[in-house]
Amino acid sequence: MRASIDPRHIPGNGTVDRLGRTQHAVLVDFANISTASCLLTGYPGAAVVADNGRQIQQARRTLRGPLGGLPSTENTPPQVTLNPGGYAAAFLEGVGQKQIGAAQAGCDAPNYPRILVTPPNTTVPVPFTVGWPKCYSFDVHPVRPVSAPPA
């Protein structure tokens, strides 16, 4: 299994929601690079990591959010069978928790530098140098099949 950050644009990423909070999302792709089919079930593990390597925040598992996740008609994470060369993806998503007009210590500091993602049904986390904004929630949605590899 190979995990990578998907460069495709996520509609709504960086926009402000109706409560004035900025939305942030990252799409993580999983590719079956083996010669056998594999089954992905549920959620990948995900954590935000500080400069010193300490895990700051574990992702909260949610079915869907404002920018991604399962359709409203689905309430159970799917089982995804990946044939060799197949792809699946999962959204990591959050919204700014900073109170509008209020000073909150550390919220305007640089992003946390990394996230760790552990593909479903595995135990080895993959580090990504993708910043996650401070004072943002951190949710992960279930893995879903993807018809095309990242561009």
Side-chain angles (χ1 to χ4, degrees):
M1 185 65 54
R2 182 184 66 224
S4 60
I5 297 297
D6 192 320
R8 289 180 267 205
H9 175 70
I10 299 168
N13 197 13
T15 62
V16 177
D17 71 9
R18 62 180 175 78
L19 300 176
R21 303 174 305 175
T22 303
Q23 301 177 100
H24 183 71
V26 173
L27 187 61
V28 180
D29 282 320
F30 303 101
N32 182 353
I33 58 173
S34 75
T35 57
S37 294
C38 66
L39 181 67
L40 299 179
T41 304
Y43 300 82
V48 175
V49 181
D51 290 322
N52 62 5
R54 184 173 59 94
Q55 289 188 24
I56 299 297
Q57 183 177 7
Q58 291 287 323
R60 181 179 68 138
R61 293 176 173 191
T62 60
L63 291 173
R64 64 191 64 82
L67 301 178
L70 296 182
S72 61
T73 56
E74 294 181 31
N75 292 310
T76 304
Q79 290 190 348
V80 179
T81 300
L82 283 187
N83 293 320
Y87 287 87
F91 270 92
L92 301 175
E93 171 172 14
V95 294
Q97 302 298 303
K98 181 178 177 182
Q99 296 173 356
I100 304 302
Q104 286 181 267
C107 287
D108 294 324
N111 291 348
Y112 292 114
R114 286 181 295 286
I115 59 174
L116 290 177
V117 176
T118 306
N121 308 339
T122 69
T123 58
V124 179
V126 179
F128 292 105
T129 307
V130 173
W132 195 262
K134 293 186 178 177
C135 300
Y136 272 62
S137 61
F138 188 54
D139 297 342
V140 62
H141 306 316
V143 68
R144 298 192 56 206
V146 176
S147 59

